[in-house]
């Protein structure tokens, strides 16, 4: 069997861990694995590189001469930087948001490349757009695909966690702790904007973990005036209670620019106490956390299994507590048909999924506690 793996859309810490794990599992089973560079763009252009190598590779190859301590000689081994990349941020394969692949013609060209290469299937590591692309490839051209959810936004349906979320949250709370130091020294309020596109998960989860005083998410559906009024109250009450600092986590999905928020708040509150920090792409980089590496490795293992078990057209999901989904040998990993994943993802974006409803209800209940 010969598989390919690609990373697509916004990169996420843990993508490399998934690439490494996929390569190791494939190598252990004698499955050849090629990496596709630059996501679907590279697929259309035929930009492939080997990630597994024959174990008896010639002198000069990275593993030649190594002593194998396992009694069974490995069928294959993995390329040197694949072995090293597991903790690195970004993706060693590169990523892209491919306009060409959005067209049926681009997808036809990609499927043709796979056929010509004799590739038996593709593992797609990415977010909503990437998984939708995988579904199109499967439906339109019969390509065998398995998705691995990766997006710091945590907006992918059917999985409780996507790769990158844990690392991004650790980065955000580290930044909040640092900002809290200087905010406390000057008795200031800070609005800290975090990524997440239209999904407020990063803002919500980090606000609780950082001990923020308030959180702003698009899903709350507040008008600009409501946002400014609520923040003015939070800041006044916070300092009236004797707080040294007030932190507000704002999801980027709330479209009011931070500069405007700061201007309006400082105009309403006497003095010049409010500042803002937009964390931006800082949140998306950095070495993958233990949790992201662990989830990535287990999802990748089951992704390769799915090809052996003829369960393609699916996404492997991190779902430790759900009974839903197709069971795998790993009790925390379930398989979901890609059609279902895309449908549930749409509901997450629209705020109508049970998971999102639950998150919002919980946030409303803790809102009164945050500012205490
Ligand atoms: O989807 C991941 C993400 O990082 C979002 O949180 C953010 O809105 C977007 O990508 C940024 O995309 P780009 O890197 O193209 O600016």
């Amino acid at each position: 069997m010969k598989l390919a793996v690609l990373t697509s859309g916004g990169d996420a810490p843990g993508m490399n861990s998934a690439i490494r794990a996929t390569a190791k599992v494939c190598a252990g089973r004698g499955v050849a694995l090629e990496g596709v560079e630059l996501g679907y763009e590279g697929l259309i252009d035929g930009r492939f590189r080997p990630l597994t190598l024959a174990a008896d590779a010639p002198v000069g190859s990275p593993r030649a001469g190594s002593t194998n301590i396992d009694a069974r000689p490995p069928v294959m081994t993995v390329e040197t930087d694949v072995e090293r990349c597991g903790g690195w941020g970004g993706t060693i394969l590169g990523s892209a948001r491919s306009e060409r692949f959005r067209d049926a013609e681009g997808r036809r060209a990609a499927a043709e490349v796979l056929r010509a290469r004799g590739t038996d299937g593709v593992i797609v590591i990415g977010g909503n757009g990437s998984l939708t692309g995988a579904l199109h490839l499967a439906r339109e051209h019969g390509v065998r695909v398995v998705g691995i959810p990766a997006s710091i936004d945590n907006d992918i349906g059917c999985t409780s966690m996507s790769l990158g979320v844990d690392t991004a949250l650790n980065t955000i709370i580290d930044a909040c702790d640092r900002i809290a130091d200087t905010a406390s020294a000057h008795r200031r309020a800070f609005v800290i904007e975090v990524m997440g596109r239209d999904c407020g998960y990063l803002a919500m989860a980090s606000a609780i973990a950082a001990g923020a005083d308030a959180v702003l998410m698009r899903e709350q559906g507040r008008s600009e005036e409501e946002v400014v009024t609520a923040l003015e109250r939070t800041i006044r009450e916070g300092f009236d209670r004797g707080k040294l600092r007030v932190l507000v986590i704002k999801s980027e999905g709330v479209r009011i620019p931070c500069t405007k928020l700061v201007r309006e708040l400082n105009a309403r509150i006497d003095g010049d106490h409010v500042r803002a920090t937009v964390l931006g792409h800082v949140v998306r980089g950095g070495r993958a956390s233990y949790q992201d590496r662990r989830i990535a490795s287990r999802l990748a293992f089951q992704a390769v299994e799915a090809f052996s078990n003829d369960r393609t057209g699916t996404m492997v999901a991190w779902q430790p507590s759900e009974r839903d989904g197709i069971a795998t040998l790993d009790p925390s990993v379930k398989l979901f048909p890609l059609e279902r994943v895309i449908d549930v993802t749409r509901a997450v974006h629209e705020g109508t999924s049970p998971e999102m409803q639950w998150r919002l209800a919980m946030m409303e209940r803790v809102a009164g506690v945050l500012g205490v």
Side-chain angles (χ1 to χ4, degrees):
M1 185 156 64
K2 180 161 133 188
L3 297 179
V5 60
L6 63 84
T7 50
S8 161
D11 58 286
M15 280 184 160
N16 282 327
S17 319
I19 294 168
R20 178 174 69 181
T22 303
K24 285 176 92 84
V25 175
C26 283
R29 296 176 175 201
V31 174
L33 180 71
E34 291 187 316
V36 183
E37 291 173 336
L38 297 175
Y40 292 120
E41 276 294 288
L43 186 55
I44 295 170
D45 294 337
R47 294 183 58 155
F48 287 73
R49 57 177 272 201
L51 302 182
T52 53
L53 305 168
D56 58 348
V59 176
S61 71
R63 280 296 194 85
S66 71
T67 314
N68 177 25
I69 54 165
D70 192 341
R72 288 175 302 126
V75 186
M76 286 180 150
T77 184
V78 301
E79 210 240 352
T80 311
D81 67 332
V82 171
E83 183 144 57
R84 294 170 58 222
C85 77
W88 299 348
T91 159
I92 57 163
L93 293 175
S95 190
R97 293 191 172 99
S98 174
E99 282 304 321
R100 285 190 290 164
F101 195 77
R102 285 181 208 275
D103 285 342
E105 187 49 36
R107 297 195 290 272
R108 195 199 54 72
E112 192 44 52
V113 168
L114 289 166
R115 240 188 309 274
R117 263 192 116 74
T119 308
D120 296 301
V122 186
I123 293 178
V124 173
I125 306 172
N128 181 26
S130 314
L131 297 168
T132 305
L135 177 60
H136 286 321
L137 259 189
R139 268 189 188 157
E140 295 167 8
H141 301 284
V143 176
R144 298 172 78 216
V145 293
V146 175
I148 298 182
S151 166
I152 61 165
D153 303 341
N154 215 23
D155 61 347
I156 304 172
C158 303
T159 186
S160 67
M161 272 285 171
S162 300
L163 300 185
V165 176
D166 185 68
T167 308
L169 284 172
N170 284 318
T171 304
I172 293 170
I173 60 168
D174 179 57
C176 288
D177 288 349
R178 289 164 191 264
I179 290 169
D181 289 343
T182 174
S184 304
H186 290 270
R187 312 294 196 263
R188 279 177 174 160
F190 268 81
V191 178
I192 302 166
E193 183 180 292
V194 300
M195 271 193 171
R197 203 180 287 274
D198 286 333
C199 179
Y201 182 84
L202 285 182
M204 181 185 75
S206 62
I208 295 169
D213 297 80
V215 60
L216 300 175
M217 299 155 63
R218 178 194 63 92
E219 295 88 336
Q220 292 161 332
R222 291 178 179 167
S223 70
E224 193 166 321
E225 177 55 30
E226 284 169 334
V227 167
V228 178
T229 305
L231 288 195
E232 181 188 353
R233 195 176 54 239
T234 301
I235 295 169
R236 283 189 189 283
E237 286 178 1
F239 287 128
D240 285 351
R241 284 196 189 111
K243 287 194 155 209
L244 300 182
R245 55 68 166 169
V246 173
L247 294 189
V248 177
I249 312 290
K250 171 184 172 297
S251 171
E252 69 171 339
V254 175
R255 300 282 176 223
I256 315 164
C258 277
T259 43
K260 191 171 183 204
L261 260 183
V262 168
R263 213 174 29 247
E264 298 215 359
L265 288 167
N266 275 328
R268 292 188 188 200
I269 301 164
D270 281 347
D272 178 30
H273 302 297
V274 188
R275 297 285 187 277
T277 303
V278 178
L279 296 183
H281 290 77
V282 168
V283 169
R284 213 163 77 186
R287 294 178 67 79
S289 65
Y290 160 71
Q291 181 74 344
D292 271 326
R293 297 185 203 195
R294 165 178 175 252
I295 295 177
S297 306
R298 287 168 64 175
L299 291 180
F301 189 96
Q302 296 305 330
V304 178
E305 272 291 293
F307 284 97
S308 309
N309 299 336
D310 219 7
R311 292 249 191 228
T312 58
T314 54
M315 181 189 82
V316 284
W318 186 253
Q319 228 21 310
S321 55
E322 284 281 334
R323 297 240 171 79
D324 206 7
I326 303 161
T328 70
L329 285 177
D330 185 330
S332 297
V333 179
K334 309 282 180 348
L335 287 171
F336 287 86
L338 278 169
E339 285 90 348
R340 169 110 186 270
V341 172
I342 303 306
D343 281 351
V344 179
T345 303
R346 193 174 306 116
V348 169
H349 287 197
E350 288 165 358
T352 52
S353 79
E355 175 80 5
M356 188 47 78
Q357 297 278 326
W358 177 84
R359 285 176 188 171
L360 283 173
M362 284 306 290
M363 274 327 284
E364 257 171 47
R365 298 191 87 153
V366 300
V369 178
L370 285 181
V372 169

Coordinates of all heavy atoms in Angstrom, one line a residue, residues 1-7 14-36 49-53 76-79 82-83 85-86 91-93 119 121-126 145-150 163 292-308 316:
M1 N 0.9 -1.2 0.0 CA 0.0 0.0 0.0 C 0.9 1.3 0.0 O 2.0 1.3 0.6 CB -0.9 0.0 1.2 CG -1.9 1.1 1.2 SD -3.4 0.8 2.2 CE -2.7 0.7 3.9
K2 N 0.4 2.3 -0.7 CA 1.1 3.6 -0.7 C 0.2 4.7 -0.3 O -0.9 4.8 -1.0 CB 1.7 3.8 -2.1 CG 2.5 5.1 -2.2 CD 3.4 5.0 -3.4 CE 3.3 6.3 -4.3 NZ 4.0 6.1 -5.5
L3 N 0.5 5.4 0.7 CA -0.4 6.5 1.1 C 0.3 7.9 1.0 O 1.6 7.9 0.9 CB -0.8 6.3 2.6 CG -1.6 5.1 3.0 CD1 -1.9 5.1 4.5 CD2 -2.9 5.1 2.2
A4 N -0.5 8.9 1.0 CA 0.1 10.3 1.0 C -0.5 11.0 2.2 O -1.6 10.7 2.7 CB -0.2 11.0 -0.3
V5 N 0.2 12.0 2.7 CA -0.3 12.8 3.8 C -0.1 14.3 3.4 O 1.0 14.6 2.8 CB 0.3 12.5 5.1 CG1 1.8 12.7 5.1 CG2 -0.3 13.3 6.3
L6 N -1.0 15.1 3.7 CA -0.9 16.6 3.5 C -1.4 17.4 4.6 O -2.3 16.9 5.4 CB -1.5 17.0 2.2 CG -3.0 16.9 1.9 CD1 -3.8 18.1 2.5 CD2 -3.3 16.8 0.4
T7 N -0.9 18.6 4.8 CA -1.4 19.5 5.8 C -2.0 20.7 5.0 O -1.4 21.2 4.0 CB -0.3 20.0 6.8 OG1 0.8 20.4 6.1 CG2 0.1 18.9 7.7
G14 N 1.1 20.5 16.5 CA 0.6 19.1 16.5 C 0.5 18.5 15.1 O 0.4 17.3 15.0
M15 N 0.5 19.4 14.1 CA 0.5 18.8 12.7 C 1.7 18.0 12.5 O 1.6 16.9 11.9 CB 0.4 20.0 11.7 CG -1.0 20.6 11.5 SD -1.0 21.8 10.2 CE -2.7 21.9 9.8
N16 N 2.8 18.5 12.9 CA 4.1 17.7 12.7 C 4.1 16.4 13.6 O 4.6 15.4 13.1 CB 5.3 18.5 13.1 CG 5.7 19.5 12.0 OD1 5.5 19.2 10.8 ND2 6.1 20.7 12.4
S17 N 3.5 16.5 14.7 CA 3.4 15.2 15.5 C 2.6 14.2 14.8 O 2.8 13.0 14.8 CB 2.7 15.5 16.9 OG 3.2 16.7 17.5
A18 N 1.5 14.7 14.1 CA 0.6 13.7 13.4 C 1.4 13.2 12.1 O 1.2 12.0 11.8 CB -0.6 14.4 12.9
I19 N 2.2 14.0 11.5 CA 3.0 13.6 10.3 C 3.9 12.5 10.8 O 4.1 11.4 10.2 CB 3.7 14.8 9.7 CG1 2.7 15.7 9.1 CG2 4.7 14.2 8.6 CD1 3.4 17.1 8.6
R20 N 4.7 12.8 11.9 CA 5.6 11.8 12.4 C 5.0 10.5 12.8 O 5.5 9.4 12.4 CB 6.4 12.4 13.6 CG 7.4 11.4 14.2 CD 8.2 11.9 15.3 NE 7.5 12.2 16.5 CZ 8.0 12.7 17.6 NH1 9.2 13.0 17.6 NH2 7.2 12.9 18.7
A21 N 3.9 10.6 13.5 CA 3.2 9.4 13.9 C 2.7 8.6 12.7 O 2.8 7.4 12.7 CB 2.1 9.7 14.9
T22 N 2.1 9.3 11.8 CA 1.6 8.6 10.6 C 2.8 7.9 9.9 O 2.7 6.7 9.5 CB 1.0 9.6 9.6 OG1 0.0 10.3 10.2 CG2 0.5 9.0 8.3
A23 N 3.9 8.6 9.7 CA 5.1 8.0 9.1 C 5.6 6.7 9.8 O 5.9 5.7 9.2 CB 6.2 9.0 8.9
K24 N 5.6 6.9 11.1 CA 6.2 5.7 11.9 C 5.2 4.5 11.8 O 5.7 3.4 11.7 CB 6.4 6.2 13.4 CG 7.6 7.0 13.6 CD 7.8 7.5 15.0 CE 8.6 6.6 15.8 NZ 10.0 6.9 15.7
V25 N 3.9 4.8 11.9 CA 3.0 3.7 11.8 C 3.1 3.0 10.5 O 3.1 1.8 10.3 CB 1.5 4.1 12.1 CG1 0.5 3.0 11.9 CG2 1.4 4.7 13.6
C26 N 3.1 3.9 9.4 CA 3.2 3.3 8.1 C 4.5 2.5 7.9 O 4.5 1.4 7.4 CB 3.2 4.5 7.0 SG 1.6 5.1 6.8
A27 N 5.6 3.1 8.4 CA 6.9 2.4 8.3 C 6.9 1.1 9.0 O 7.4 0.1 8.4 CB 8.0 3.3 8.8
G28 N 6.3 1.0 10.1 CA 6.2 -0.2 10.9 C 5.4 -1.3 10.2 O 5.6 -2.5 10.4
R29 N 4.5 -0.9 9.3 CA 3.7 -1.8 8.6 C 4.1 -2.0 7.2 O 3.4 -2.7 6.4 CB 2.2 -1.3 8.6 CG 1.7 -1.2 10.0 CD 0.3 -0.6 10.0 NE -0.3 -0.7 11.3 CZ -1.5 -0.6 11.6 NH1 -2.4 -0.5 10.6 NH2 -1.9 -0.7 12.8
G30 N 5.2 -1.4 6.8 CA 5.6 -1.6 5.4 C 4.8 -0.8 4.4 O 4.8 -1.2 3.2
V31 N 4.1 0.2 4.9 CA 3.3 1.0 4.0 C 4.2 2.2 3.6 O 4.7 3.0 4.4 CB 2.0 1.5 4.7 CG1 1.3 2.5 3.8 CG2 1.1 0.4 5.1
A32 N 4.3 2.5 2.3 CA 5.1 3.6 1.8 C 4.3 4.9 2.1 O 3.0 4.9 1.8 CB 5.4 3.5 0.3
L33 N 4.9 5.9 2.6 CA 4.2 7.2 2.8 C 4.9 8.3 2.1 O 6.1 8.5 2.3 CB 4.1 7.5 4.3 CG 3.3 8.8 4.7 CD1 1.8 8.6 4.4 CD2 3.5 9.1 6.1
E34 N 4.2 9.1 1.4 CA 4.7 10.3 0.8 C 4.0 11.5 1.4 O 2.8 11.5 1.7 CB 4.5 10.3 -0.7 CG 5.4 9.3 -1.4 CD 5.3 9.4 -3.0 OE1 4.2 9.6 -3.5 OE2 6.3 9.3 -3.6
G35 N 4.8 12.6 1.6 CA 4.2 13.9 2.0 C 4.0 14.7 0.8 O 4.8 14.8 -0.1
V36 N 2.8 15.4 0.8 CA 2.5 16.4 -0.2 C 2.8 17.8 0.3 O 2.4 18.1 1.4 CB 1.0 16.3 -0.6 CG1 0.7 17.3 -1.8 CG2 0.6 14.9 -0.9
R49 N 7.1 14.2 -1.5 CA 8.5 13.8 -1.0 C 8.3 12.6 -0.2 O 7.3 12.5 0.6 CB 9.1 14.9 -0.2 CG 8.3 15.4 0.9 CD 9.0 16.5 1.7 NE 9.8 15.9 2.8 CZ 10.2 16.5 3.9 NH1 9.9 17.8 4.1 NH2 10.9 15.9 4.8
P50 N 9.2 11.6 -0.2 CA 9.1 10.4 0.6 C 9.2 10.7 2.1 O 10.1 11.5 2.5 CB 10.2 9.5 0.1 CG 11.2 10.4 -0.6 CD 10.4 11.6 -1.0
L51 N 8.4 10.1 2.9 CA 8.5 10.3 4.4 C 9.0 9.0 5.0 O 9.5 9.0 6.1 CB 7.2 10.7 5.0 CG 6.6 12.1 4.4 CD1 5.3 12.4 5.2 CD2 7.6 13.2 4.6
T52 N 8.8 7.9 4.3 CA 9.3 6.6 4.8 C 10.4 6.1 3.8 O 10.4 6.5 2.6 CB 8.2 5.5 4.8 OG1 7.6 5.5 3.5 CG2 7.1 5.8 5.9
L53 N 11.3 5.4 4.4 CA 12.4 4.9 3.5 C 12.6 3.4 3.7 O 12.2 2.9 4.8 CB 13.7 5.5 4.0 CG 13.8 7.0 4.1 CD1 15.1 7.5 4.9 CD2 13.9 7.6 2.7
M76 N 10.5 -0.8 7.3 CA 10.9 0.5 6.8 C 11.3 1.4 7.9 O 11.1 1.1 9.1 CB 9.7 1.2 6.1 CG 9.3 0.6 4.8 SD 7.9 1.5 4.1 CE 8.2 1.3 2.4
T77 N 11.8 2.6 7.6 CA 12.1 3.6 8.6 C 11.6 5.0 8.1 O 11.0 5.0 7.1 CB 13.6 3.6 8.9 OG1 13.9 4.5 10.0 CG2 14.4 4.0 7.7
V78 N 11.8 6.0 9.0 CA 11.3 7.3 8.5 C 12.4 8.2 8.2 O 13.5 8.1 8.8 CB 10.3 7.9 9.6 CG1 9.1 7.0 9.8 CG2 11.0 8.3 10.9
E79 N 12.1 9.2 7.4 CA 13.1 10.2 6.9 C 13.6 11.0 8.2 O 12.8 11.2 9.1 CB 12.4 11.0 5.9 CG 13.2 11.6 4.9 CD 13.1 13.1 4.9 OE1 12.3 13.6 5.7 OE2 13.9 13.8 4.3
V82 N 11.6 13.9 9.6 CA 10.3 13.5 10.1 C 10.4 13.0 11.5 O 9.6 13.3 12.4 CB 9.7 12.3 9.2 CG1 8.5 11.7 9.8 CG2 9.4 12.9 7.8
E83 N 11.5 12.3 11.7 CA 11.7 11.7 13.1 C 11.9 12.9 14.1 O 11.5 12.8 15.2 CB 13.0 10.9 13.0 CG 13.3 10.2 14.4 CD 13.9 8.9 14.1 OE1 14.9 8.8 13.4 OE2 13.3 7.9 14.6
C85 N 10.8 16.1 13.8 CA 9.8 17.2 13.8 C 8.7 17.1 14.7 O 7.9 18.1 14.9 CB 9.3 17.4 12.4 SG 8.0 16.1 12.0
G86 N 8.5 16.0 15.4 CA 7.3 15.8 16.2 C 6.9 16.9 17.1 O 5.7 17.1 17.4
T91 N 4.3 23.3 10.1 CA 4.2 22.0 9.5 C 5.4 21.8 8.5 O 5.6 22.7 7.7 CB 2.9 21.7 8.7 OG1 3.1 20.7 7.7 CG2 2.4 23.0 8.0
I92 N 6.1 20.7 8.6 CA 7.3 20.5 7.8 C 6.9 20.4 6.3 O 7.7 20.6 5.4 CB 8.2 19.3 8.2 CG1 7.4 18.0 8.2 CG2 8.9 19.6 9.5 CD1 8.3 16.8 8.1
L93 N 5.6 20.1 6.1 CA 5.2 19.9 4.7 C 4.7 21.2 4.0 O 4.5 21.3 2.8 CB 4.0 18.9 4.6 CG 4.4 17.5 5.0 CD1 3.1 16.6 5.0 CD2 5.4 16.9 4.0
T119 N -1.1 6.2 -5.8 CA -1.4 6.4 -4.4 C -2.7 5.8 -4.0 O -3.7 6.0 -4.7 CB -1.4 8.0 -4.1 OG1 -0.2 8.5 -4.6 CG2 -1.5 8.2 -2.6
G121 N -4.3 6.2 -1.1 CA -5.2 7.0 -0.2 C -4.4 8.2 0.3 O -3.2 8.2 0.3
V122 N -5.2 9.2 0.8 CA -4.6 10.4 1.4 C -5.1 10.7 2.8 O -6.3 10.6 3.0 CB -5.0 11.6 0.5 CG1 -4.2 12.9 0.9 CG2 -4.7 11.3 -1.0
I123 N -4.2 11.0 3.6 CA -4.5 11.5 5.0 C -4.5 13.0 4.9 O -3.4 13.6 4.6 CB -3.6 10.9 6.0 CG1 -3.8 9.4 6.1 CG2 -3.8 11.6 7.4 CD1 -2.9 8.7 7.1
V124 N -5.6 13.7 5.3 CA -5.7 15.1 5.2 C -5.7 15.7 6.6 O -6.6 15.4 7.4 CB -6.9 15.6 4.4 CG1 -7.1 17.1 4.5 CG2 -6.8 15.1 3.0
I125 N -4.7 16.4 7.0 CA -4.6 17.0 8.3 C -5.0 18.5 8.2 O -4.2 19.3 7.5 CB -3.2 16.9 8.9 CG1 -2.7 15.4 8.9 CG2 -3.1 17.4 10.3 CD1 -1.2 15.2 9.2
G126 N -6.1 18.9 8.8 CA -6.5 20.3 8.6 C -7.8 20.6 9.2 O -8.4 19.7 9.9
V145 N -9.9 8.7 1.5 CA -9.3 9.8 2.3 C -9.7 9.5 3.8 O -10.7 8.9 4.1 CB -9.9 11.2 1.9 CG1 -9.4 11.6 0.6 CG2 -11.4 11.2 2.0
V146 N -8.8 9.9 4.7 CA -9.1 10.0 6.1 C -8.6 11.3 6.6 O -7.5 11.7 6.3 CB -8.5 8.8 6.9 CG1 -8.7 8.9 8.4 CG2 -9.0 7.5 6.4
G147 N -9.5 12.0 7.4 CA -9.1 13.3 7.9 C -8.6 13.2 9.3 O -9.1 12.4 10.1
I148 N -7.7 14.1 9.7 CA -7.3 14.3 11.1 C -7.6 15.8 11.4 O -7.0 16.7 10.7 CB -5.8 14.0 11.3 CG1 -5.5 12.5 10.9 CG2 -5.3 14.4 12.7 CD1 -4.0 12.1 11.1
P149 N -8.4 16.1 12.4 CA -8.8 17.5 12.7 C -7.7 18.3 13.3 O -7.1 17.9 14.3 CB -9.9 17.3 13.7 CG -9.7 16.0 14.4 CD -9.0 15.1 13.4
A150 N -7.3 19.4 12.6 CA -6.2 20.2 13.1 C -6.6 21.7 12.8 O -6.8 22.1 11.7 CB -4.9 19.9 12.4
L163 N -6.2 19.3 16.8 CA -4.8 19.5 17.0 C -4.5 21.0 17.0 O -5.0 21.8 16.2 CB -3.9 18.8 16.0 CG -4.1 17.3 15.9 CD1 -3.1 16.7 14.8 CD2 -4.0 16.7 17.2
D292 N -1.1 17.9 22.8 CA -1.3 17.9 21.3 C -0.5 16.8 20.7 O -1.0 16.1 19.8 CB -0.9 19.3 20.7 CG -2.0 20.3 20.6 OD1 -3.2 19.8 20.4 OD2 -1.8 21.5 20.8
R293 N 0.7 16.5 21.2 CA 1.5 15.4 20.7 C 0.8 14.1 20.9 O 0.8 13.2 20.1 CB 2.9 15.4 21.3 CG 3.7 16.6 21.0 CD 5.1 16.5 21.5 NE 5.7 17.8 21.8 CZ 6.9 18.0 21.9 NH1 7.8 17.0 21.9 NH2 7.4 19.2 22.2
R294 N 0.2 14.0 22.1 CA -0.4 12.7 22.5 C -1.6 12.4 21.6 O -1.8 11.4 21.0 CB -0.8 12.8 24.0 CG -1.8 11.8 24.5 CD -2.0 12.1 25.9 NE -3.0 11.2 26.5 CZ -4.2 11.6 26.9 NH1 -4.6 12.9 26.7 NH2 -5.1 10.8 27.4
I295 N -2.5 13.5 21.5 CA -3.7 13.3 20.7 C -3.3 13.1 19.2 O -3.9 12.2 18.5 CB -4.6 14.5 20.8 CG1 -5.1 14.7 22.2 CG2 -5.8 14.5 19.8 CD1 -6.0 15.9 22.5
A296 N -2.3 13.8 18.7 CA -1.9 13.7 17.3 C -1.5 12.3 17.0 O -1.8 11.7 16.0 CB -0.8 14.7 17.0
S297 N -0.7 11.7 17.9 CA -0.1 10.4 17.7 C -1.2 9.3 17.7 O -1.2 8.4 16.8 CB 0.9 10.0 18.8 OG 1.9 11.1 18.9
R298 N -2.2 9.5 18.6 CA -3.2 8.5 18.7 C -4.2 8.6 17.5 O -4.7 7.6 17.0 CB -3.9 8.5 20.0 CG -3.0 7.9 21.1 CD -3.4 8.2 22.5 NE -4.7 7.6 22.8 CZ -5.2 7.6 24.1 NH1 -4.5 8.2 25.1 NH2 -6.3 7.0 24.3
L299 N -4.5 9.8 17.1 CA -5.4 10.0 15.9 C -4.7 9.5 14.7 O -5.3 8.8 13.8 CB -5.7 11.5 15.7 CG -6.6 12.1 16.8 CD1 -6.9 13.6 16.4 CD2 -8.0 11.4 16.9
A300 N -3.4 9.7 14.5 CA -2.7 9.3 13.3 C -2.6 7.8 13.3 O -2.8 7.2 12.2 CB -1.2 9.8 13.4
F301 N -2.5 7.1 14.4 CA -2.4 5.6 14.4 C -3.8 5.1 13.9 O -3.8 4.2 13.0 CB -2.2 5.2 15.9 CG -2.0 3.7 16.0 CD1 -0.7 3.2 16.0 CD2 -3.1 2.8 16.0 CE1 -0.5 1.8 16.1 CE2 -2.9 1.4 16.1 CZ -1.6 0.9 16.1
Q302 N -4.9 5.7 14.4 CA -6.2 5.2 13.9 C -6.5 5.6 12.5 O -7.3 4.9 11.8 CB -7.3 5.7 14.9 CG -7.1 5.1 16.3 CD -7.1 3.6 16.4 OE1 -7.6 2.9 15.5 NE2 -6.3 3.1 17.3
A303 N -5.9 6.7 12.0 CA -6.1 7.1 10.6 C -5.5 6.0 9.7 O -6.1 5.6 8.7 CB -5.4 8.5 10.4
V304 N -4.3 5.5 10.0 CA -3.7 4.5 9.2 C -4.5 3.2 9.3 O -4.8 2.5 8.3 CB -2.2 4.3 9.6 CG1 -1.6 3.1 8.7 CG2 -1.4 5.5 9.4
E305 N -4.9 2.9 10.5 CA -5.8 1.7 10.7 C -7.0 1.8 9.8 O -7.5 0.8 9.3 CB -6.3 1.7 12.2 CG -5.5 1.0 13.2 CD -5.4 -0.4 13.1 OE1 -6.4 -1.1 13.3 OE2 -4.3 -0.9 12.8
A306 N -7.6 3.0 9.7 CA -8.9 3.1 8.9 C -8.7 2.7 7.5 O -9.6 2.1 6.9 CB -9.3 4.6 9.0
F307 N -7.4 2.9 6.9 CA -7.2 2.4 5.6 C -7.1 0.9 5.6 O -7.7 0.2 4.7 CB -5.9 3.0 5.0 CG -6.0 4.4 4.6 CD1 -5.6 5.4 5.4 CD2 -6.5 4.7 3.3 CE1 -5.8 6.7 5.1 CE2 -6.7 6.0 2.9 CZ -6.3 7.0 3.8
S308 N -6.5 0.3 6.6 CA -6.4 -1.2 6.6 C -7.8 -1.8 6.8 O -8.1 -2.9 6.3 CB -5.5 -1.6 7.8 OG -4.3 -1.0 7.7
V316 N -10.9 10.9 11.9 CA -10.6 10.3 13.2 C -10.9 11.5 14.2 O -10.4 12.6 14.0 CB -9.2 9.8 13.4 CG1 -9.1 8.4 12.7 CG2 -8.2 10.7 12.8

